[in-house]
Amino acid sequence: MQNYFKENWHSFLSEQDLEILRTSNYGRGLPWPAQPAFVVIDMTYDFCGTPGLDAVDAARERRTACGPNAWNSVPAIAAALDAARKAHMPIAYSRRSPMRMRRQSPKTDRAHEDVLAFSAIEDGNNIIAELAPKPADLVFGKAAPSIFFETEFGNWFERNGFDGLFVTGCTTSGCVRASVVDAFSHKINTFIIADAVFDRFSISHKVALFDCQAKYADLVSAEEFISYTEKL
């Protein structure tokens, strides 16, 4: 599965790194789940930005915006989301909570920026229209990167007896990775749909995919995921 995505990180690995991978059995595959859930992480206007802007202008308009990296990933996320709905897979979304909106950070100006409207007509914390939740979907507000942190997501997952989690959204090195690591800590077999996640920084995206597939999750493509849902 993750072999499709090796080009994302292979050039960053030394010969020693490659030898460690060959001898250590990192990155072994997981069994496909029988009763999974599907999650869309932080696909809001604040993290996507205005369509049509280049990456720098998107970041200038809204520091959190990922610009073309976000919008180029939307078709794969939408296709996977549609397949999950057709397979009657439970679907959850995340976005920032009111607590997160008030959080002070010494690393960025985020606390000041987060209270600003995205535009005259759109709340930046709204999930983009192309991926809008349906009435049956759950939307979890979170105050930290992981969807598990101080939310009911983990309880919901355990209470329903799900045996796997498919992850899409952003950012690969931030909220996606944090959620995947927490899922691993909860002993959940997790699958990142690797062409349906993205980051504002290309190096962060590539290294996060490598790190996650080595230790915490499997990588699958949207095409593989769609084929899998047709057999559920």
Side-chain angles (χ1 to χ4, degrees):
M1 288 180 277
Q2 53 260 46
N3 288 342
Y4 293 124
F5 304 101
K6 281 185 177 178
E7 66 274 11
N8 280 290
W9 60 75
H10 194 271
S11 63
F12 294 99
L13 301 180
S14 67
E15 284 303 318
Q16 178 175 285
D17 295 333
L18 293 170
E19 187 62 25
I20 290 170
L21 283 174
R22 283 190 288 267
T23 62
S24 62
N25 288 323
Y26 280 111
R28 288 187 293 182
L30 297 170
W32 289 91
Q35 190 179 353
F38 185 99
V39 66
V40 181
I41 302 287
D42 293 2
M43 287 300 296
T44 64
Y45 287 98
D46 277 345
F47 283 100
C48 293
T50 300
L53 294 181
D54 66 29
V56 175
D57 285 341
R60 184 177 291 117
E61 180 185 61
R62 195 70 163 181
R63 182 190 51 77
T64 52
C66 297
N69 289 349
W71 293 103
N72 290 342
S73 298
V74 167
I77 299 172
L81 185 58
D82 183 60
R85 294 194 196 286
K86 289 178 179 176
H88 306 291
M89 199 176 291
I91 294 166
Y93 290 75
S94 71
R95 62 180 182 177
R96 297 168 302 168
S97 69
M99 180 67 71
R100 172 68 183 77
M101 303 284 277
R102 296 192 297 271
R103 182 182 180 186
Q104 300 291 324
S105 171
K107 292 288 288 182
T108 68
D109 290 329
R110 181 171 285 175
H112 166 69
E113 292 176 359
D114 283 351
V115 300
L116 303 175
F118 178 75
S119 71
I121 60 172
E122 195 64 69
D123 180 346
N125 201 32
N126 282 345
I127 294 158
I128 63 172
E130 291 83 350
L131 304 173
K134 303 292 186 184
D137 301 335
L138 296 177
V139 180
F140 292 89
K142 59 187 180 64
S146 173
I147 195 174
F148 289 86
F149 185 78
E150 295 183 353
T151 75
E152 287 297 310
F153 180 81
N155 291 336
W156 169 76
F157 190 96
E158 182 177 358
R159 185 170 61 249
N160 284 281
F162 303 134
D163 64 348
L165 181 64
F166 288 94
V167 180
T168 65
C170 71
T171 60
T172 317
S173 65
C175 298
V176 167
R177 186 186 187 282
S179 299
V180 166
V181 172
D182 271 2
F184 177 85
S185 299
H186 284 81
K187 300 180 174 63
I188 297 170
N189 284 351
T190 304
F191 302 79
I192 300 172
I193 303 178
D195 47 352
V197 297
F198 60 89
D199 205 295
R200 64 185 59 83
F201 300 116
S202 61
I203 188 171
S204 299
H205 173 73
K206 294 172 181 179
V207 173
L209 285 180
F210 167 75
D211 193 47
C212 285
Q213 65 82 33
K215 296 179 286 188
Y216 306 119
D218 262 8
L219 305 185
V220 301
S221 67
E223 183 179 1
E224 285 180 302
F225 173 76
I226 293 167
S227 177
Y228 152 79
T229 62
E230 292 170 350
K231 301 178 179 67
L232 281 178

